[in-house]
Amino acid sequence: MDDFFWAFGMLRSRAFTRLSGQSLVLIPLTDLINHSPNIMIEDYAWEIKGAGLFSRDLLFSLCSPIPVMVGEQVMIQYDLKKSNAELALDYGFIESRSECNAYTITLEIPETDPFFGDKLDIAESNGLAESTFFDITLGQPLPLAMLPYLLLVALGGTDAFLLEALFRNSVWGHLELPVSRPNEELICQVIRNACKSALFGYHTTIEEDERLKEQGNLDPRLEIAVGIRLGEKKVLQQIDEIFIGRELELDGLEYYQERRLRQLGLVGEEETLSCIVALGSSVAAIPFTSSNLKQVLSCQPISTVDTIASRPIRCWFQKFFIVHGAYIKF
C-alpha cells in the first residue's frame, strides 16, 4: 500500500495535464521543472505538436513564460486557478497569495422538495445541476450563479408561482434579483448557519492559527495544514459577513412584486391609489400605496386568472390588472 501511495503521489504531482488529446502524461526530466509563485501568466507553458509535415512523431515543447537570463533556473506557473488545498494535495506546497485561499460550498436541490422537478429543470437550463459546487475565494465576490441558485433552492410558498411554465424562460432573470423577504431571510439563515457549523468543526480559531504561524518552527506538513485551514476559516468568515450585510439590507430591497407593479405603472414614489382587492369570494377595499404594498399583496392568488398575461384587460368601464399573486381592480 505504501508503494501505491508513493506511485500515485508521483503521478499526481508530476504528470502534465491539459495536453491536446491526452489526460495525463509523464515526461522524464521535463517533470522536474519547478513552480514559481511570481509568474502570473496563465498561458500554458507547454504543448505537444507534430515533428514535421511528413512525420508522425510528436514533440513536447516547453517554453518559459518570462525572460530567463543565462544560468537562471527555468520555472513555470503550475496553475493559477488552484486553491491552496489543491496545491498541497497535488504538489505539496501552498502559496501566500490571498486568492489561493478558497472554500467550496455544495448546494443541492433536495429530492423531497415538492417542486424538485421544476427546480431541477430550471437549474439544468442554466448550466447547473441537482448538486452544484461553488468555490468562494478570499477577497473576491460570490460566484455569479450562487445567489440565483440559492434563491431557486429556497423558492416555495407564495413565491412558487415563479416555477410555473409561464415563467420558465424568464425565471432566472427574476432570481438574479430579490424575490421576496421570506426567501431572502431563508437563504441568509441557511448560509450563516452552515458557516457557523463549518467553523465550529475546526479544532482551532483564526486567532490561534495566526499565533501558531507567528511562532514559526512548525513541522513542514503542519505549517501547510495550518495555512490551508486558516485560509478556509477566513473565507467562511467572509461569507458569513456577506450574508450579515444582506440581512441588514432586507428592508431596503425591492422585491419581485414591487418591481412588477412599478413596471406596470401601478405604484410610484408619490402615488396613492384606492383599490378593491378580491380575496377569494369576498372583496376588500384597501388604500394602495408603495408603503403598504405588502398588505395588498398578502391576498391569495385567484386560480382562474393566474394564467392571464400581465397586461390591462378592459371590461366595460373598469380596468383590471393581473398582478402575480393578487387580483386588483381599480
Side-chain angles (χ1 to χ4, degrees):
M1 186 61 71
D2 289 341
D3 290 341
F4 170 79
F5 285 138
W6 175 87
F8 184 78
M10 290 298 101
L11 175 65
R12 192 173 182 104
S13 64
R14 295 189 175 278
F16 287 91
T17 59
R18 307 178 301 197
L19 298 177
S20 177
Q22 304 289 338
S23 296
L24 291 174
V25 176
L26 283 174
I27 304 176
L29 297 181
T30 306
D31 64 356
L32 295 176
I33 191 166
N34 283 323
H35 164 87
S36 172
N38 298 321
I39 297 177
M40 303 300 292
I41 301 174
E42 293 194 60
D43 294 338
Y44 298 160
W46 58 85
E47 63 178 347
I48 286 184
K49 55 187 178 181
L53 183 60
F54 301 104
S55 174
R56 294 185 178 180
D57 294 333
L58 296 176
L59 296 178
F60 177 82
S61 174
L62 178 66
C63 302
S64 171
I66 60 173
V68 181
M69 301 294 291
V70 176
E72 286 185 341
Q73 181 181 176
V74 176
M75 306 182 82
I76 61 173
Q77 166 62 243
Y78 284 177
D79 196 331
L80 282 172
K81 297 179 181 179
K82 286 186 182 291
S83 67
N84 270 337
E86 293 171 314
L87 289 173
L89 180 63
D90 289 345
Y91 309 117
F93 64 81
I94 61 174
E95 291 191 1
S96 59
R97 292 185 296 117
S98 63
E99 311 93 87
C100 290
N101 294 311
Y103 192 90
T104 300
I105 285 184
T106 304
L107 301 178
E108 184 177 66
I109 304 171
E111 292 186 4
T112 55
D113 191 312
F115 306 106
F116 173 79
D118 291 322
K119 292 182 179 181
L120 181 59
D121 182 46
I122 293 168
E124 290 178 341
S125 298
N126 290 276
L128 302 171
E130 179 183 346
S131 293
T132 304
F133 304 91
F134 295 97
D135 294 324
I136 295 92
T137 303
L138 187 62
Q140 301 294 323
L142 297 175
L144 290 177
M146 181 174 169
L147 278 176
Y149 190 86
L150 260 175
L151 294 173
L152 174 66
V153 173
L155 212 58
T158 57
D159 298 325
F161 67 88
L162 285 171
L163 298 171
E164 295 176 4
L166 175 69
F167 296 94
R168 196 52 48 97
N169 294 329
S170 61
V171 63
W172 198 257
H174 295 311
L175 293 172
E176 290 176 340
L177 298 169
V179 174
S180 68
R181 187 184 181 105
N183 185 258
E184 288 285 336
E185 288 176 339
L186 179 57
I187 67 168
C188 290
Q189 178 185 359
V190 168
I191 293 298
R192 291 203 60 206
N193 287 343
C195 289
K196 291 176 183 176
S197 177
L199 285 168
F200 184 77
Y202 292 99
H203 298 298
T204 57
T205 64
I206 290 177
E207 294 73 22
E208 289 171 339
D209 282 345
E210 287 177 337
R211 284 196 294 270
L212 278 173
K213 290 191 69 176
E214 290 172 0
Q215 291 171 5
N217 299 321
L218 294 175
D219 174 82
R221 290 192 176 188
L222 178 58
E223 185 175 6
I224 290 173
V226 170
I228 293 171
R229 75 188 186 199
L230 176 59
E232 289 178 344
K233 292 175 198 173
K234 287 182 177 180
V235 176
L236 285 167
Q237 188 179 65
Q238 171 183 292
I239 298 170
D240 188 46
E241 290 171 354
I242 288 174
F243 283 90
I244 288 175
R246 198 169 181 87
E247 284 181 327
L248 296 175
E249 295 173 351
L250 292 181
D251 288 336
L253 294 177
E254 183 183 51
Y255 300 107
Y256 173 82
Q257 299 285 17
E258 287 99 325
R259 288 194 303 273
R260 190 64 185 138
L261 288 175
R262 178 172 50 78
Q263 291 167 1
L264 293 171
L266 297 180
V267 62
E269 292 295 329
E270 303 298 332
E271 289 183 272
T272 302
L273 304 173
S274 295
C275 67
I276 298 175
V277 179
L279 302 172
S281 59
S282 61
V283 175
I286 301 178
F288 183 49
T289 67
S290 58
S291 61
N292 77 337
L293 186 58
K294 292 177 183 177
Q295 179 188 3
V296 174
L297 295 177
S298 63
C299 62
Q300 295 298 315
I302 307 300
S303 59
T304 57
V305 297
D306 275 348
T307 57
I308 301 178
S310 300
R311 63 177 185 272
I313 300 174
R314 298 190 179 280
C315 179
W316 297 95
F317 57 88
Q318 294 175 324
K319 185 184 293 184
F320 295 84
F321 287 87
I322 307 305
V323 180
H324 306 301
Y327 175 32
I328 301 177
K329 181 175 70 175
F330 293 89

